[in-house]
Amino acid sequence: MHGTMNSEQKSPAPAVSFLGPVSSYTHQSGEVARGVVPFENSTNGAVIFTLELLADRSSLFPDIYVCGEAYLDVQHYLLGHRATETASTDSADLSGTATPTSSIPIPLKSRSRPLSCLKHIQRIYTHPQAFGQCEAFLGAYLKGIERIDVSSTSKAAELVKQDKTGTSVAIASKLAAEIHELDILAESIEDRDDNTTRFFILRKEIDDVRNHTAAPTKSLVSFTIDHGVPGALADVLGLVHTPTLSRVSSTRRHLHAQELTSRPPNITYDYLSPTPSHLLNITLRDFLPQSCDPPNFKRTNIELPPTGTSQLAQKHALPQGHHLVYFSPQIPENDLLPDGTDLLQSPGPPFMRRMWAGGSVLFDTSKPNQLHLDNVRAACVERIRDVTVKGSEGDEKIFVSIERRYMPVNDSTGEAAQENIDAQGMTGTASIVELRDLVFLREEPDPLAKMNAAKSVKLLKPRHTPDFSISMIPSQSLLFRFSALTFNAHRIHLDPQYCQEVEGYRNLLLHGPLSLVLLLSVLRSQLRDGEMVKRFDYRNLAPLYAHESLTVCVLRNSKENNKYEVWIEGNGGGYAVKGTAVTE
């Protein structure tokens, strides 16, 4: 990408391209050019992703020019759904005073106050830049609340609108509130009243740029240096003979996000035979009470349910959560990585350690759209939806958000699944929509892994007493059987020595999908007749190990009887997995 810009010229701009859905700040700045990208913010500094794209080390954008710049005063709003209770000005959560920390001994006082109560908030969505611009408000009123990075502020508002639990909020613009019909819970929550973002204007018309080279210009120069060589930066700057060098910025080189999100969707087909579901029931039989069994499983006479398209077979819907033992990755042995995982969602070296961070599942509970154990061919359409890099250089974590859509396919060619991608952009009708959040970490040297294996994890204690709970001790055989059912060769579930010496865990780890199956199975035992899970959200907070006790807990919401808190406590009694369910 070329970095010479004309700071005075304005384009007629018959059409504008911008980052993010409608209502993003880039959208609002885009009245003067054909392409608009954020470059830097007066509060939070450079936009790293834009800098990486401008560097264009792989020559992906040879015909793109920076031809101008625009400035936008950014005012952030906290958007969501108002709680039923009303916040009072003397409420403890409206003090406006952030807790001092070692890194921020004298925190800024928030410039604004909430317009309504925020006690119901459980998670915050926004772009990483927006988090950095609103630290004072977040530290004062939403300290400790889970923060989730997304690709844009407008995407955050879109996700909050889709969250029917009402416990999510977004940091976004006032326009986003209007478009997505969200309540404004607080306004002007940015740290500084002069919060301004600088945008670059892009275009492809090379001839027009060359015709205006006589006008004042600015140049962007991208280069890399060896950080192990003393004075390397000074040597490069010594080659720059200009009195108008305005700034030097350093960035981490991460193009993983761009490469991962550009991968095409992956389609996996499977026949909904009752066998995998039946084997899963047998696998869990000696760990869960009979009340947790699906209706089509009989412990006294373990037989497969009927198959085919008879009326009897149609009654056997795929039990909620059992989709996890279908649509296994069809990867040959030679394509597996050394740890037994595959490259479908992996960013590649050096980020070779993978963890399951959580996710959500949305079930279509209408009978015509449910999946059934009737041997019908079905498809799972998977794509990488979002990628975020967190942490300092050398200690980065890459968060990969994966969307999986499950749907029946009524023909042998698979055209139904392909049309769902091409014509509907993966937003068409699906029986199940699942989001998975994976975290990829750098490989650790063996001595460091062994030290980590001996460390204890800080536990977050549950605040409530469950209505119902079940304790169990998962065995190594349970983990092996679930690995076999899911065609999962990840060694953290199979090889104790590998866990301790390479990954830094003290024993075999329970699968993320197995934890989800346990949560849904125990929750099933507490549902009323005809009640089904509509949406389930969960986060994995601490490891669960083989041969160590765990307890699955269920608590019905006292105010809304179609909502449940569901969690797993580890051997030490703290949260290991924390979930919420909405039923109908």
Side-chain angles (χ1 to χ4, degrees):
M1 181 177 292
H2 300 265
T4 300
M5 71 176 79
N6 183 336
S7 59
E8 296 182 354
Q9 179 185 354
K10 292 187 178 180
S11 168
V16 177
S17 298
F18 53 87
L19 171 69
V22 172
S23 77
S24 67
Y25 290 107
T26 312
H27 164 220
Q28 296 174 62
S29 71
E31 298 179 358
V32 294
R34 296 175 182 171
V36 181
V37 293
F39 181 69
E40 62 182 349
N41 176 263
S42 59
T43 302
N44 206 42
V47 180
I48 302 300
F49 183 70
T50 300
L51 288 176
E52 291 285 5
L53 290 177
L54 289 173
D56 195 22
R57 297 182 179 91
S58 301
S59 298
L60 299 175
F61 319 108
D63 57 346
I64 300 297
Y65 282 76
V66 180
C67 61
E69 56 189 353
Y71 292 82
L72 178 70
D73 293 334
V74 175
Q75 188 176 21
H76 288 300
Y77 292 77
L78 189 71
L79 311 181
H81 304 280
R82 288 194 181 92
T84 53
E85 60 180 299
T86 303
S88 60
T89 55
D90 58 352
S91 175
D93 68 337
L94 297 181
S95 64
T97 303
T99 304
T101 64
S102 57
S103 58
I104 309 177
I106 307 178
L108 293 173
K109 186 175 179 63
S110 175
R111 297 176 53 248
S112 63
R113 297 165 62 89
L115 301 176
S116 61
C117 182
L118 305 181
K119 291 182 179 179
H120 64 295
I121 303 305
Q122 297 182 6
R123 64 190 68 85
I124 312 167
Y125 294 99
T126 196
H127 188 276
Q129 277 279 330
F131 278 129
Q133 296 166 29
C134 304
E135 287 293 351
F137 181 89
L138 297 177
Y141 302 113
L142 293 170
K143 186 176 180 62
I145 301 300
E146 180 184 14
R147 301 184 184 186
I148 302 176
D149 294 344
V150 293
S151 57
S152 67
T153 55
S154 48
K155 182 64 177 179
E158 181 181 312
L159 291 172
V160 171
K161 181 180 181 180
Q162 295 171 359
D163 182 8
K164 302 305 181 183
T165 67
T167 58
S168 299
V169 292
I171 298 175
S173 65
K174 187 175 183 179
L175 178 61
E178 297 172 359
I179 290 176
H180 297 288
E181 299 177 335
L182 296 173
D183 297 324
I184 295 178
L185 307 182
E187 58 186 11
S188 301
I189 66 172
E190 63 277 1
D191 293 344
R192 297 171 47 166
D193 58 5
D194 61 348
N195 189 43
T196 303
T197 297
R198 178 188 180 194
F199 295 85
F200 278 172
I201 302 166
L202 312 178
R203 66 178 174 192
K204 297 177 66 174
E205 297 176 3
I206 299 176
D207 291 339
D208 285 352
V209 174
R210 290 174 178 170
N211 290 337
H212 293 84
T213 53
T217 61
K218 299 178 182 179
S219 294
L220 303 173
V221 179
S222 173
F223 58 90
T224 58
I225 60 173
D226 186 349
H227 290 276
V229 177
L233 178 59
D235 291 342
V236 173
L237 295 180
L239 301 175
V240 181
H241 302 288
T242 173
T244 57
L245 178 64
S246 60
R247 63 176 297 173
V248 177
S249 298
S250 62
T251 67
R252 290 177 290 155
R253 185 176 177 179
H254 282 307
L255 295 179
H256 296 99
Q258 179 186 356
E259 190 276 326
L260 284 167
T261 54
S262 65
R263 293 180 184 178
N266 180 61
I267 306 177
T268 303
Y269 297 99
D270 206 342
Y271 288 93
L272 296 182
S273 158
T275 302
S277 176
H278 184 68
L279 292 176
L280 178 59
N281 290 329
I282 295 175
T283 299
L284 300 176
R285 177 183 182 274
D286 294 334
F287 295 92
L288 299 177
Q290 187 172 349
S291 61
C292 299
D293 293 344
N296 62 323
F297 180 67
K298 307 300 179 184
R299 295 191 175 206
T300 55
N301 183 19
I302 301 179
E303 293 182 356
L304 282 171
T307 62
T309 57
S310 68
Q311 183 178 1
L312 184 60
Q314 291 292 334
K315 294 181 180 179
H316 293 299
L318 178 70
Q320 292 190 322
H322 282 216
H323 67 282
L324 295 165
V325 296
Y326 293 83
F327 310 100
S328 300
Q330 299 169 12
I331 308 296
E333 173 77 18
N334 289 340
D335 292 340
L336 294 177
L337 298 172
D339 66 350
T341 61
D342 56 69
L343 281 168
L344 290 177
Q345 307 99 9
S346 172
F351 301 95
M352 303 302 290
R353 298 170 57 220
R354 183 175 78 172
M355 297 190 304
W356 191 298
S360 64
V361 189
L362 182 65
F363 297 98
D364 189 335
T365 56
S366 59
K367 289 186 178 180
N369 293 329
Q370 294 178 30
L371 297 177
H372 290 80
L373 299 173
D374 51 10
N375 286 319
V376 167
R377 192 168 186 251
C380 170
V381 184
E382 176 183 284
R383 65 158 178 158
I384 296 175
R385 196 175 77 164
D386 195 22
V387 178
T388 304
V389 181
K390 297 182 180 180
S392 57
E393 187 168 5
D395 192 33
E396 306 97 323
K397 298 179 179 65
I398 299 182
F399 290 76
V400 180
S401 179
I402 301 161
E403 180 182 83
R404 293 166 63 93
R405 304 178 71 87
Y406 304 84
M407 65 205 76
V409 178
N410 295 320
D411 61 285
S412 60
T413 63
E415 291 177 358
Q418 191 62 48
E419 289 176 1
N420 192 273
I421 300 173
D422 297 339
Q424 304 181 50
M426 293 194 64
T427 60
T429 301
S431 301
I432 302 172
V433 179
E434 181 184 3
L435 295 182
R436 298 180 176 183
D437 295 325
L438 303 182
V439 183
F440 292 87
L441 302 89
R442 290 178 178 269
E443 292 179 291
E444 289 187 340
D446 287 351
L448 184 57
K450 292 179 180 178
M451 289 175 57
N452 288 336
K455 287 183 179 179
S456 59
V457 178
K458 185 178 180 180
L459 300 177
L460 181 64
K461 295 290 185 179
R463 296 178 297 173
H464 306 290
T465 301
D467 297 328
F468 180 78
S469 64
I470 292 174
S471 296
M472 58 176 283
I473 300 177
S475 66
Q476 187 168 345
S477 297
L478 171 64
L479 271 61
F480 172 81
R481 284 184 161 191
F482 193 82
S483 290
L485 278 171
T486 55
F487 208 48
N488 184 346
H490 198 180
R491 293 174 66 183
I492 62 172
H493 312 304
L494 302 168
D495 186 343
Q497 183 177 0
Y498 172 84
C499 289
Q500 296 169 4
E501 297 183 358
V502 178
E503 294 279 356
Y505 298 110
R506 62 176 178 264
N507 206 339
L508 297 175
L509 266 68
L510 213 69
H511 311 66
L514 178 54
S515 299
L516 179 56
V517 169
L518 293 175
L519 289 166
L520 289 170
S521 298
V522 176
L523 175 60
R524 181 191 300 122
S525 71
Q526 301 304 298
L527 299 181
R528 294 156 293 196
D529 289 342
E531 188 177 15
M532 297 183 67
V533 176
K534 178 68 175 178
R535 181 186 178 98
F536 193 88
D537 296 88
Y538 65 100
R539 305 295 295 176
N540 294 324
L541 303 176
L544 290 167
Y545 293 100
H547 308 301
E548 294 187 14
S549 176
L550 63 84
T551 303
V552 186
C553 305
V554 179
L555 174 66
R556 187 191 299 271
N557 190 301
S558 59
K559 296 181 179 179
E560 300 176 79
N561 61 11
N562 71 324
K563 294 183 180 180
Y564 295 81
E565 299 293 327
V566 191
W567 68 92
I568 300 179
E569 298 178 15
N571 193 38
Y575 280 125
V577 188
K578 189 173 185 292
T580 57
V582 178
T583 64
E584 64 177 22

